[in-house]
Amino acid sequence: MIPYKTAIIRVFSGTGNSHRVAAWLAEVARGRGVEVSNEGIGPEVRKSGSPEVENSESPDSGAGNEKTLLALVFPTHAFTAPWRVVRYACGLPRGNGAHAVVVATRAGLKFGPVFTPGMEGTGAYLIALILRLKGYRIRGVCGVDMPSNWIASHWGLHRSTAEPIVARSRRVATRFGQRVLDGGRAFPIGGMVELLLGLVLAPISFLYLIQGRFFLAKLFFADNRCTGCGLCAASCPVQAITMWGKRPYWSFACESCMRCMAFCPTKAVESGHSLGILYFLLTAPLFVWGMNELVTHFPSLAWALDPENSTWIFILANWAFSLIALGLAYLVLTVLLRVRAINALFAYTTLTRYWRRYHEPDTVVKDLVPPKAG
Ligand SMILES: Cc1cc2nc3c(=O)[nH]c(=O)nc-3n(C[C@H](O)[C@H](O)[C@H](O)COP(=O)(O)O)c2cc1C
Ligand code: SF4
Ligand code: SF4
């Protein structure tokens, strides 16, 4: 007997890796006669909770129904789940006993004949925990090593390296899918090790969520090769890009998923390494100056702003200041980057200018962007 009637697959994917894994799970399900709904986690969630799971095909519509399997598939970011996915899981309706599985894709690499695994850390189990607390019964948790897509921090893998990693992962994901769709449970032992490592690395994940991702968002800029086609803005999964006079502007909503960078037709999207250094050089003295000014004008704040007396207030002030300074600096830079010479200066002093881009070898951007309704 087929244990499931319906499989609801929801995927967040930057460069197609998680999209591909979701497609493999869908293939296994369809092969067993299971009805599949395989869709991206839509951008509208950012503004208004999770409307798409409140429609008729939500797991809730089969409340308490073990015939429905929900699968969440997403990439690992900084040893945990992207913030967008955490929000999505929190916004899901109650599971009432519906079954669920969680799959985190991660950065696999290959050196000669040796495949090295990525590290999903707390990502998969964090989402599994949220779903459990919402009343879902977790039937499996899995990490799948797809080619690393963090092309802001390293050159993109060549197709000839990526393809064997993808082929290997296909076997892992398919075995996982077969097991859970045949009614079994799948909690590979490696996932537990990952979880333990993830807990050790949790401070890094936390720092990334509250600070790192905002900083990375403000490193993006379009170099002089940008044609103003608007593809980056139209295809961003969280609508983080606005076109300002034919040039993209990256907001703090960016999840650093790398889609805009991977699919820009002219390879114009850069992550500004030299920009990062400039931010640091500008904001560090500005911070010291700002703190001194505050204390001079409001002496009563001196005690609270002294890190030795009140570490938390100091940290909070530091955090708020750095985000405000970053936002303002980026606004100024957006204007300055219109000057071709300044743009070229930043473009040629950033490593991404010379790096290959990566996206899942068989994925085109249209696969990741659902057609607009109507
Ligand atoms: C900002 C960022 C952070 C990442 N952090 C990790 C990580 O901590 N561990 C890991 O194994 N992979 C990490 N990766 C790699 C991706 O999780 C991996 O390549 C994933 O398969 C990408 O899937 P997607 O194409 O569906 O977005 C990171 C990628 C990005 C862009
Ligand atoms: S996709 Fe590339 S060329 Fe098109 S607007 Fe964005 S940065 Fe410019
Ligand atoms: S702006 Fe680019 S990197 Fe950021 S979420 Fe959108 S597509 Fe991904």
Side-chain angles (χ1 to χ4, degrees), residues 220 236-238 240-241 250 254-260:
F220 284 117
C236 171
V238 293
I241 300 177
W250 279 262
C254 168
E255 289 276 355
S256 263
C257 75
M258 303 295 132
R259 187 182 295 177
C260 50

Side-chain angles (χ1 to χ4, degrees), residues 181-259:
L181 281 150
D182 287 340
R185 290 164 188 266
F187 295 91
I189 191 86
M192 306 290 173
V193 178
E194 284 284 336
L195 176 61
L196 288 177
L197 288 171
L199 289 172
V200 174
L201 296 169
I204 297 179
S205 304
F206 181 69
L207 278 177
Y208 178 78
L209 287 178
I210 62 159
Q211 183 89 340
R213 67 196 173 104
F214 298 124
F215 178 70
L216 294 182
K218 295 301 181 190
L219 291 185
F220 284 117
F221 70 96
D223 70 24
N224 288 329
R225 292 176 292 188
C226 174
T227 59
C229 70
L231 178 72
C232 50
S235 64
C236 171
V238 293
Q239 295 178 341
I241 300 177
T242 320
M243 293 304 286
W244 274 13
K246 291 205 152 227
R247 281 284 166 101
Y249 170 88
W250 279 262
S251 77
F252 277 132
C254 168
E255 289 276 355
S256 263
C257 75
M258 303 295 132
R259 187 182 295 177

Side-chain angles (χ1 to χ4, degrees), residues 348-363:
Y348 284 106
T349 51
T350 194
L351 290 167
T352 56
R353 172 84 192 192
Y354 311 99
W355 285 348
R356 186 189 301 124
R357 305 300 194 240
Y358 164 83
H359 56 76
E360 197 279 327
D362 294 325
T363 302

Side-chain angles (χ1 to χ4, degrees), residues 83-343:
W83 178 240
R84 182 72 186 63
V85 177
V86 175
R87 280 196 56 189
Y88 179 80
C90 289
L92 277 167
R94 290 201 61 75
N96 296 326
H99 287 187
V101 294
V102 179
V103 180
T105 68
R106 53 191 192 191
L109 291 170
K110 184 174 175 282
F111 301 96
V114 181
F115 291 86
T116 57
M119 199 195 281
E120 88 247 22
T122 48
Y125 275 93
L126 171 67
I127 299 302
L129 175 68
I130 295 171
L131 292 182
R132 184 71 200 92
L133 293 173
K134 302 212 76 154
Y136 291 82
R137 280 155 58 187
I138 309 300
R139 303 293 293 175
V141 173
C142 183
V144 178
D145 291 312
M146 292 293 275
S148 177
N149 79 333
W150 199 351
I151 47 178
S153 67
H154 60 75
W155 57 89
L157 270 63
H158 192 268
R159 200 180 172 105
S160 61
T161 309
E163 277 177 347
I165 302 178
V166 172
R168 206 165 176 255
S169 301
R170 182 176 192 156
R171 291 192 288 275
V172 174
T174 304
R175 266 200 308 274
F176 174 80
Q178 287 166 342
R179 189 162 173 79
V180 292
L181 281 150
D182 287 340
R185 290 164 188 266
F187 295 91
I189 191 86
M192 306 290 173
V193 178
E194 284 284 336
L195 176 61
L196 288 177
L197 288 171
L199 289 172
V200 174
L201 296 169
I204 297 179
S205 304
F206 181 69
L207 278 177
Y208 178 78
L209 287 178
I210 62 159
Q211 183 89 340
R213 67 196 173 104
F214 298 124
F215 178 70
L216 294 182
K218 295 301 181 190
L219 291 185
F220 284 117
F221 70 96
D223 70 24
N224 288 329
R225 292 176 292 188
C226 174
T227 59
C229 70
L231 178 72
C232 50
S235 64
C236 171
V238 293
Q239 295 178 341
I241 300 177
T242 320
M243 293 304 286
W244 274 13
K246 291 205 152 227
R247 281 284 166 101
Y249 170 88
W250 279 262
S251 77
F252 277 132
C254 168
E255 289 276 355
S256 263
C257 75
M258 303 295 132
R259 187 182 295 177
C260 50
M261 204 169 176
F263 290 102
C264 169
T266 56
K267 237 183 111 192
V269 178
E270 310 285 3
S271 177
H273 299 133
S274 47
L275 263 188
I277 297 168
L278 184 73
Y279 281 145
F280 179 76
L281 292 177
L282 282 178
T283 53
L286 222 105
F287 178 69
V288 176
W289 174 82
M291 285 296 193
N292 282 339
E293 283 297 299
L294 263 181
V295 172
T296 312
H297 291 98
F298 305 96
S300 52
L301 289 178
W303 186 88
L305 291 175
D306 184 340
E308 285 190 8
N309 298 327
S310 174
T311 317
W312 279 109
I313 296 183
F314 182 79
I315 290 174
L316 267 177
N318 203 336
W319 176 76
F321 175 83
S322 62
L323 285 189
I324 293 169
L326 194 60
L328 290 175
Y330 191 70
L331 269 178
V332 174
L333 273 160
T334 305
V335 177
L336 290 179
L337 286 166
R338 308 261 159 141
V339 180
R340 286 188 77 81
I342 297 178
N343 188 301

